[in-house]
Amino acid sequence: MDPTPFLNRLTKNLRHWSKWARRQGIECFRIYDRDLPEFPVAIDVYAGRPHVQAFETRWEADEATYEAWVDAVRGTVAGLFEIPPAELAFKVRRRQKGTDQYEATGNPPAPFVVHEDGLKFEVDLHRYLDTGLFLDHRVTRALVREQARDKRFLNLFAYTGSFTVHAAAGGASSSLTLDLSNTYQDWTRRNLRLNDLDRPEHRLERCDVMDWLEHSSKIEERFDLIVMDPPSFSNSKAMDTTLDVQRDHPWMINRALSLLTADGVLYFSNNKRGFKLYEDELIPCELEDITRKTTPEDFRRHPPHRCWVIRRSNWKPGMK
């Protein structure tokens, strides 16, 4: 397969998106997203370093042909960025099954720090399928930061805590960050420390979020601002049950709404392809689809997430 069209498109895109990112003050951004059918990859740039994800497709190739294709992609991207092909972060993104999305993928170079909106985040381009910072939620994080002043913030399925960092930087009076993984809770702690935000009012708890929500009726604490961005599917051995966002989202949203203050705000997002919100299964609430608003310009070719802002609709003066 001739990689020349891929190189030409990639060179053009890199020039365009690099200029756009400089104007926006953005250090991490997407430059290519399955533009050419023969090259179904997504390429992001983290502070000048490329990260390549190859997507499974319907077309089939024998092992030798596929390896030749991989070598062509590696060589093209590495050559453009002037790095050895062996040092390129290259991953194959398959349909997620269980915890596969979060398992280590090798023995890589060290993590490094990138900047977003004046904040610092540790990223690791090699060890895991995901890097530690979901670039498609750049705008959503900014919205949370803008609204966080003096708010009590709850981050469910927190991953590496980027929403928590933004909320804390925005002046949240307190935060509670929940995730099942010790690895990612430690990562969140490092991100908070990078920004001098590792303070007692910003609590981290390792737990099965589904189990925690199951017992939410016993939780007296209430929150003014909640972010819930669950995985599409999970059957981690540490969980008592499986999580399927299409099946379980009404239950999860209803539980989260019960923890909101009367005039609080819930951001609910997920990246399941073909996701449909079951509005008729939700308790009375006000829904606004903000997917278009929260999709950054560099991700509009293939928007990876759906996002809603949800409020309780039974608010009355004097309610808490």
Side-chain angles (χ1 to χ4, degrees):
M1 183 178 291
D2 181 9
T4 303
F6 178 52
L7 175 60
N8 292 340
R9 178 64 66 90
L10 195 55
T11 301
K12 178 182 176 181
N13 286 8
L14 178 60
R15 184 183 306 115
H16 168 76
W17 289 114
S18 294
K19 290 179 180 178
W20 171 84
R22 283 194 296 271
R23 290 194 302 268
Q24 302 291 326
I26 293 171
E27 191 174 57
C28 305
F29 52 97
R30 178 153 291 185
I31 62 169
Y32 178 96
D33 197 348
R34 290 161 278 181
D35 297 35
L36 304 176
E38 298 83 4
F39 295 91
V41 301
I43 303 174
D44 300 315
V45 176
Y46 289 79
R49 308 187 197 188
H51 177 264
V52 182
Q53 300 174 77
F55 293 86
E56 287 186 320
T57 63
R58 293 181 182 275
W59 60 270
E60 297 181 0
D62 57 53
E63 185 173 348
T65 302
Y66 178 73
E67 289 301 323
W69 178 85
V70 169
D71 289 343
V73 173
R74 281 184 179 273
T76 301
V77 178
L80 184 60
F81 283 87
E82 299 181 343
I83 61 175
E87 294 181 9
L88 178 68
F90 184 98
K91 302 162 187 175
V92 177
R93 182 170 287 279
R94 298 181 173 88
R95 290 186 179 275
Q96 185 179 336
K97 297 179 180 179
T99 60
D100 290 351
Q101 183 169 351
Y102 301 111
E103 291 182 354
T105 58
N107 296 312
F112 60 99
V113 174
V114 298
H115 299 80
E116 178 184 88
D117 200 13
L119 300 173
K120 301 175 183 178
F121 296 92
E122 178 186 302
V123 297
D124 189 330
L125 302 190
H126 294 265
R127 281 169 54 87
Y128 306 95
L129 185 54
D130 292 308
T131 65
L133 187 65
F134 291 122
L135 303 187
D136 64 294
H137 270 305
R138 184 192 309 126
V139 176
T140 323
R141 287 190 288 268
L143 289 174
V144 168
R145 184 175 182 175
E146 291 171 3
Q147 297 180 14
R149 175 67 58 185
D150 299 325
K151 301 289 177 54
R152 292 163 291 182
F153 176 66
L154 173 63
N155 191 357
L156 301 167
F157 307 99
Y159 188 40
T160 60
S162 57
F163 277 110
T164 299
V165 173
H166 274 267
S173 60
S174 64
S175 67
L176 176 59
T177 300
L178 305 181
D179 196 274
L180 182 60
S181 167
N182 280 325
T183 297
Y184 295 113
Q185 288 289 60
D186 290 343
W187 201 328
T188 295
R189 182 71 68 191
R190 294 195 298 273
N191 281 335
L192 286 168
R193 287 173 180 165
L194 280 171
N195 295 282
D196 297 321
L197 294 169
D198 186 12
R199 302 167 187 162
E201 62 266 29
H202 300 303
R203 296 173 289 141
L204 277 61
E205 292 185 15
R206 178 191 175 275
C207 68
D208 176 349
V209 178
M210 295 291 281
D211 182 67
W212 189 87
L213 287 170
E214 175 70 37
H215 298 91
S216 60
S217 61
K218 300 178 182 179
I219 300 170
E220 297 183 359
E221 192 171 4
R222 292 295 177 267
F223 303 90
D224 309 295
L225 184 59
I226 300 176
V227 168
M228 182 162 59
D229 184 21
S232 296
F233 180 82
S234 180
N235 63 350
S236 167
K237 294 178 181 179
M239 295 175 61
D240 293 331
T241 60
T242 62
L243 185 161
D244 183 321
V245 72
Q246 185 62 75
R247 179 193 67 200
D248 299 328
H249 75 271
W251 181 87
M252 292 191 291
I253 291 173
N254 290 338
R255 293 282 175 160
L257 286 171
S258 73
L259 297 170
L260 271 182
T261 53
D263 56 351
V265 173
L266 165 66
Y267 284 96
F268 169 73
S269 179
N270 74 87
N271 63 353
K272 179 178 176 60
R273 187 181 306 173
F275 176 82
K276 178 178 173 56
L277 187 72
Y278 296 154
E279 297 185 30
D280 58 346
E281 296 185 26
L282 301 179
I283 62 176
C285 60
E286 299 173 5
L287 289 162
E288 181 184 357
D289 188 337
I290 59 171
T291 302
R292 186 172 181 82
K293 180 180 180 180
T294 59
T295 301
E297 187 174 341
D298 49 325
F299 280 83
R300 287 182 183 169
R301 183 175 179 84
H302 292 283
H305 71 251
R306 298 285 305 281
C307 190
W308 287 262
V309 59
I310 308 176
R311 297 177 175 87
R312 290 168 48 176
S313 61
N314 59 342
W315 183 85
K316 296 179 182 179
M319 289 182 63
K320 296 183 179 180

